[in-house]
Amino acid sequence: MTQNRYKAIVGGQTYTIIGQESKQHMDMVLALVNEQLNEIKDLSPEITAEKAAILLAINAVSDQVKKQEELLQLKKYQADLKRRAARSVELENKIKKIEAIEAEAKSIMQKNGKNNAQIRNHVEAQQVVNENRKREIQKRAANK
């Protein structure tokens, strides 16, 4: 990766910064640093530049820790959403299978002339399908 050299003025001091960030990124960072340094100096006019820089560093690290905690929480939330999504897909597939069994059971009932018979749940539907398959197997066995 290419290293960029960047001339920066922070708190009236000139620094050369070497890194991989873009000029736009560094401009934004330095503007924020200078703004925060000025805020610290405005709140405590007697503070030295060194102490102001230390307070700024403490604030920056504190903000970084908070953002890392937020990121961890978001990653946990994302993982939970992925688990829920997978569970939803699993449940949708089960529902489709149940619906297919119920449709097959209704078809079997119609073929057997039991159009008015009701299937109350998927267990009864599975029983109808199983009984029909059992009869078909028995018929095939008898024809051999």
Side-chain angles (χ1 to χ4, degrees), residues 8 14 30 33 37 48 50 57 62 64 66 70 84 87 116 125-126 139 142:
T14 302
L30 289 170
V33 165
L37 271 175
T48 66
E50 182 182 356
S62 175
Q64 180 183 358
K66 287 177 188 174
E70 287 177 24
R84 288 181 183 191
R87 180 69 176 142
N116 295 334
Q126 186 68 58
K139 283 181 189 176

Side-chain angles (χ1 to χ4, degrees), residues 10 37 40-41 47-59:
V10 178
L37 271 175
I40 291 170
K41 288 179 182 178
I47 197 168
T48 66
E50 182 182 356
K51 287 184 179 182
I54 290 171
L55 286 176
L56 178 61
I58 290 170
N59 289 339

Side-chain angles (χ1 to χ4, degrees), residues 62-80:
S62 175
D63 289 346
Q64 180 183 358
V65 169
K66 287 177 188 174
K67 294 298 178 194
Q68 287 173 331
E69 288 171 351
E70 287 177 24
L71 181 60
L72 285 174
Q73 289 300 317
L74 287 172
K75 285 181 178 182
K76 287 179 184 178
Y77 182 65
Q78 180 186 30
D80 183 51

Side-chain angles (χ1 to χ4, degrees), residues 2-6 17-23:
T2 58
Q3 296 287 322
N4 299 322
R5 294 178 66 85
Y6 187 82
I17 299 173
I18 300 172
Q20 298 172 355
E21 303 300 336
S22 68
K23 180 181 180 329

Side-chain angles (χ1 to χ4, degrees), residues 20 22 24 37 46 71 86 117-118 120 125 130 136:
Q20 298 172 355
S22 68
Q24 294 83 5
L37 271 175
E46 73 288 346
L71 181 60
Q118 283 193 342
R120 293 184 293 260
N130 290 348
E136 288 176 358

